[in-house]
Amino acid sequence: MIRSALIILAKDLRLRSRDRSVLLFAFVIPLALTGVFTLILPSDDDFLLTVAIVDEDGGAIAEAFTNGVVPALVNEGFVDASYVDSADTARRMLDDDEVSAAWIVPEGFSHAVMAATPTKFIVLHNPDRVLSTEVARGVAEDFVAEVRRVGVAVATTAAASGGTLDQRQLDAVTARAANTAGLLMVGAVDTEVRQLDATSYLGAGMAVFFLFFTVTFGITGLLEERDQRTLPRLLAAPIGISAVHLGKAIGAFVIGMASMTVLAVGNRVLLGVDWGPPLGVAVLITAGVLCALGVMALVGSYAKTAEQANNLQSIVALVFGLSGGVFFPVGATGWMASLSLFSPHGWFLRGLGDQVGSGSWTGVLPATGALLAGALVAGLLGALRLRKAAA
């Protein structure tokens, strides 16, 4: 059986090497997309928030923001601030694309905080600047959260004083509000946990995403043999169906390993990505290819023709890619994080992140175990279904 399987393998690899679609999906498109997205997406080091500042209040807490928080961010090179005299001017600057956001401290803001009454901090933004919008909101939300704590302190102090504050207490609370200048700090922090940088994450995501398309070329080979009526000729020779299945499976595995290896090396050499220790990368790639092989074999077993199999496998690969965070990072919590636990793509990316975080190749072992478990379950079910269909 092994000899027959190897003959089928050699024949399939010879045919696939001449198939341009295999070369495109396995090597060219993933690497090209990673390079293009890397050029389009701004790096963290290049980010600069251009913002207009409007102080309509002039109180102590407003000054804590405009003369404390904002200058600190400017000094860090994180913000380019323009102080303007009115909200209308800020809106005009937004419309003219001179700034990407505006912070407006409305009149009565400081008094409302000191009186522990509801107030608001206005953030204007350009809807086309998504990253700048989120950053501007985040800075404002951090400041407002600290202001609310000041308000609680005011209310508590007033209640303890019978509802009124003397000048000394007011001065003390005002001083505390002014100290909120240090509530935001921007800089490099050394931590015990590291994650993939944007380019490395994107390269890994594109590689594992297209891996599931690549292995389908080997899996659908059996259906193509059936559609072209060459399968009965193979079975008429002294070749069993098990040898055919094995040859096709080995072919898909070889194509998948070749694709991932070339992409790993290409990403490293051409784009400077860092997936961590090579041993861990090799272990995770092997598990990922086996999982892709098992999943696509199971999906293909439900198809009657090669075309139908390609459609089903494409849908599954896309769903797994989206739920696994191939195109955008999935947070550590929330429903998307839970959904990613069912995606081989999510486990592959998590394994690389754990390896980089731990600094050791053993960091990939939990994700490797999950991928191998998926490969075993899906592969056995797929093999049983394909064998039953051929019987």
Side-chain angles (χ1 to χ4, degrees), residues 10 31 228 353:
L31 198 58
Q228 297 170 4

Side-chain angles (χ1 to χ4, degrees), residues 3-23 27 217-218 224-225 234 247-248 250-252 254-255 258:
R3 183 173 180 276
S4 299
L6 292 177
I7 292 175
I8 293 174
L9 169 64
K11 184 264 296 183
D12 282 356
L13 291 180
R14 186 167 55 252
L15 291 177
R16 297 304 178 189
S17 65
R18 301 170 184 171
D19 190 341
R20 293 183 179 179
S21 60
V22 175
L23 299 178
F27 309 110
F217 290 106
E224 291 175 352
E225 299 276 11
L234 289 174
K248 301 294 184 183
I250 296 175
V254 170
I255 294 173

Side-chain angles (χ1 to χ4, degrees), residues 1-290:
M1 183 179 74
I2 299 298
R3 183 173 180 276
S4 299
L6 292 177
I7 292 175
I8 293 174
L9 169 64
K11 184 264 296 183
D12 282 356
L13 291 180
R14 186 167 55 252
L15 291 177
R16 297 304 178 189
S17 65
R18 301 170 184 171
D19 190 341
R20 293 183 179 179
S21 60
V22 175
L23 299 178
L24 288 174
F25 275 90
F27 309 110
V28 179
I29 296 179
L31 198 58
L33 284 179
T34 303
V36 170
F37 287 147
T38 300
L39 293 176
I40 294 176
L41 296 177
S43 67
D44 295 337
D45 294 337
D46 295 334
F47 178 79
L48 180 66
L49 175 64
T50 55
V51 61
I53 314 294
V54 182
D55 182 4
E56 297 179 339
D57 177 67
I61 295 180
E63 289 183 0
F65 181 77
T66 58
N67 298 331
V69 173
V70 174
L73 297 175
V74 172
N75 291 337
E76 292 287 348
F78 182 65
V79 168
D80 180 11
S82 300
Y83 291 86
V84 297
D85 56 0
S86 68
D88 290 338
T89 302
R91 289 188 177 90
R92 181 190 58 77
M93 294 177 70
L94 273 173
D95 293 338
D96 294 342
D97 204 25
E98 297 178 21
V99 295
S100 54
W103 289 319
I104 302 176
V105 186
E107 184 179 357
F109 182 82
S110 296
H111 181 269
V113 172
M114 301 303 292
T117 58
T119 185
K120 60 183 178 180
F121 187 102
I122 302 173
V123 179
L124 303 179
H125 61 87
N126 185 337
D128 295 330
R129 303 284 189 90
V130 179
L131 180 58
S132 295
T133 296
E134 294 303 317
V135 172
R137 285 177 177 173
V139 172
E141 287 171 358
D142 283 349
F143 179 74
V144 170
E146 184 66 17
V147 164
R148 285 174 179 168
R149 285 191 285 271
V150 172
V152 171
V154 172
T156 302
T157 305
S161 304
T164 59
L165 297 179
D166 58 31
Q167 189 59 46
R168 180 182 60 81
Q169 291 170 324
L170 286 173
D171 291 342
V173 174
T174 301
R176 179 177 174 182
N179 286 334
T180 58
L183 69 94
L184 294 171
M185 297 180 65
V186 180
V189 178
D190 293 329
T191 65
E192 295 181 357
V193 179
R194 290 181 58 211
Q195 297 296 326
L196 296 173
D197 59 70
T199 303
S200 299
Y201 185 94
L202 186 59
M206 289 296 100
V208 71
F209 179 69
F210 281 95
L211 167 65
F212 277 69
F213 289 93
T214 300
V215 297
T216 61
F217 290 106
I219 298 299
T220 56
L222 181 65
L223 294 173
E224 291 175 352
E225 299 276 11
R226 184 187 302 169
D227 293 344
Q228 297 170 4
R229 301 189 180 280
T230 54
L231 181 58
R233 298 180 185 177
L234 289 174
L235 298 179
I239 299 176
I241 189 62
S242 296
V244 177
H245 286 167
L246 181 60
K248 301 294 184 183
I250 296 175
F253 177 78
V254 170
I255 294 173
M257 287 297 296
S259 171
M260 291 297 288
T261 301
V262 170
L263 291 177
V265 175
N267 274 283
R268 177 64 179 175
V269 174
L270 299 178
L271 302 175
V273 304
D274 180 14
W275 290 354
L279 177 58
V281 175
V283 170
L284 196 62
I285 283 177
T286 303
V289 173
L290 289 173

